[in-house]
Amino acid sequence: GNVHRNPRRRASTASALMIGMALVGAAAVLASSTTASVAAIVSQSMKSDYIVQSATYQLPAGFQQEVERLSDVKRVDVLTYGFGPGQIRVGGKSMESATLTPGALDHSLAAPALEGTSSALDRGERLVQKTPPKANPWKVGDRLQLTSADGSVTRTVRVGGILDDTSFIGVPITLDQTTFNALIPLAQQRHDNALFITGASGVSKSSLHSQLVRLAKPYYVLSIMDQQQFVSNRADQVQSVLGILYALLAMSIVIAILGIVNTLALSIIERTREIGLMRAVGLGRLQLAVTITIESVVIAVFGAAVG
């Protein structure tokens, strides 16, 4: 009955909690969806036994050759990016690019093409990401002119395949190594981002892992992960970013709770004579506390349920 006496005030109080709960729910869905998407992309894309990445996004010089010399290693593929000053120009627009060891899309990574074929990369053609047509209206068979960042080198390549935006590579343009090296000649403009390692037939993963750990130990910044560990690593990164959001949302919930307390305080002040009369005719302290508690629960449940 008391909730109905001033419905606007109660609704305003519940709305603060409603907004906070809605934001918390949205953030939770976002976190779960992002984690599930990352797990799906990795499980569908990664075919190698292990992936090695550096905290500096640049693998140490010579580490790839050390891994290749291991007798338990069957194949090593490297994913290299051209970022920052290493961007190439397409039609006057700077873009990030990547390259892979020849045959990597058959052995270490799976990147099914929506149009064309991903194997076109090994034929000297290029792969592009599916993007909004207004941004990059590329089609299989198009011939595009690529220019180095300083404009000194130009190459014309054919689009051989279009990849889904959710592919592991994640940049607009993927080139064969010959074209990539010509357009981005300087080592400081490239980033060997990841090493994909496949063990030889009959070799146990634990044995291979031990050897890789031994090689990586002097470098400190390297991480050696199998598919499950790589998914967990990406999920942890997502959670760390969302942790800040959760902290802000927790503050909104605290503010909403203080709003409920304030509303109840006003309610008691306005009903001082009424409460005094009920106390005079036999209302106990515990009964009064229960009455106010029920009122707070009604407001909180309403706001939380709607949110």
Side-chain angles (χ1 to χ4, degrees):
N2 192 54
V3 169
H4 285 145
R5 291 187 185 187
N6 197 332
R8 178 172 294 183
R9 180 190 293 169
R10 268 62 176 189
S12 299
T13 303
S15 66
L17 186 59
M18 176 192 71
I19 293 170
M21 290 300 296
L23 292 174
V24 169
V29 171
L30 176 64
S32 298
S33 300
T34 304
T35 302
S37 297
V38 169
I41 291 171
V42 173
S43 61
Q44 294 170 9
S45 302
M46 186 173 162
K47 297 162 66 176
S48 62
D49 294 324
Y50 289 99
I51 180 173
V52 179
Q53 287 189 312
S54 171
T56 62
Y57 303 102
Q58 176 68 46
L59 295 173
F63 180 75
Q64 179 182 350
Q65 290 72 25
E66 292 181 30
V67 174
E68 289 173 340
R69 285 194 289 267
L70 292 176
S71 59
D72 288 349
V73 171
K74 177 183 178 181
R75 183 179 178 88
V76 178
D77 292 305
V78 62
L79 173 61
T80 304
Y81 288 111
F83 289 137
Q87 291 187 359
I88 61 174
R89 300 184 68 82
V90 183
K93 188 163 55 175
S94 295
M95 291 187 182
E96 297 171 348
S97 61
T99 188
L100 286 159
T101 307
L105 292 178
D106 293 326
H107 298 89
S108 297
L109 281 175
L114 299 175
E115 298 179 36
T117 60
S118 56
S119 61
L121 187 66
D122 294 333
R123 300 196 300 267
E125 298 176 343
R126 80 170 186 163
L127 304 177
V128 298
Q129 294 280 105
K130 177 188 175 184
T131 49
K134 290 183 180 180
N136 300 309
W138 296 322
K139 299 183 182 66
V140 173
D142 288 351
R143 293 190 173 276
L144 301 178
Q145 191 174 68
L146 311 180
T147 307
S148 61
D150 59 5
S152 61
V153 181
T154 301
R155 291 287 186 275
T156 301
V157 296
R158 180 181 182 272
V159 176
I162 298 177
L163 304 180
D164 197 326
D165 287 340
T166 59
S167 73
F168 187 92
I169 302 171
V171 292
I173 303 168
T174 305
L175 302 168
D176 65 282
Q177 284 195 326
T178 302
T179 306
F180 185 87
N181 292 337
L183 293 171
I184 310 177
L186 299 179
Q188 61 265 33
Q189 295 178 346
R190 309 179 200 169
H191 300 272
D192 291 337
N193 180 265
L195 214 59
F196 299 93
I197 302 167
T198 304
S201 178
V203 174
S204 68
K205 292 186 69 174
S206 59
S207 173
L208 177 58
H209 183 265
S210 299
Q211 295 181 55
L212 294 175
V213 169
R214 178 176 54 80
L215 288 181
K217 190 174 182 179
Y219 296 104
Y220 297 104
V221 294
L222 295 181
S223 298
I224 301 168
M225 298 167 283
D226 59 17
Q227 188 178 105
Q228 186 176 358
Q229 291 169 332
F230 186 69
V231 170
S232 298
N233 178 267
R234 287 293 180 267
D236 290 342
Q237 292 180 12
V238 173
Q239 292 296 335
S240 63
V241 172
L242 290 174
I244 301 173
L245 178 60
Y246 281 133
L248 295 175
L249 295 178
M251 292 179 61
S252 72
I253 298 296
V254 171
I255 292 171
I257 293 172
L258 294 176
I260 294 175
V261 172
N262 185 55
T263 297
L264 292 175
L266 290 174
S267 174
I268 294 169
I269 292 171
E270 291 172 351
R271 295 161 56 204
T272 301
R273 293 177 180 274
E274 176 188 330
I275 292 172
L277 178 61
M278 289 191 296
R279 290 279 289 127
V281 298
L283 182 72
R285 288 180 177 273
L286 181 61
Q287 290 173 312
L288 176 60
V290 169
T291 301
I292 296 171
T293 302
I294 291 174
E295 184 179 345
S296 69
V297 169
V298 169
I299 296 173
V301 168
F302 177 72
V306 175

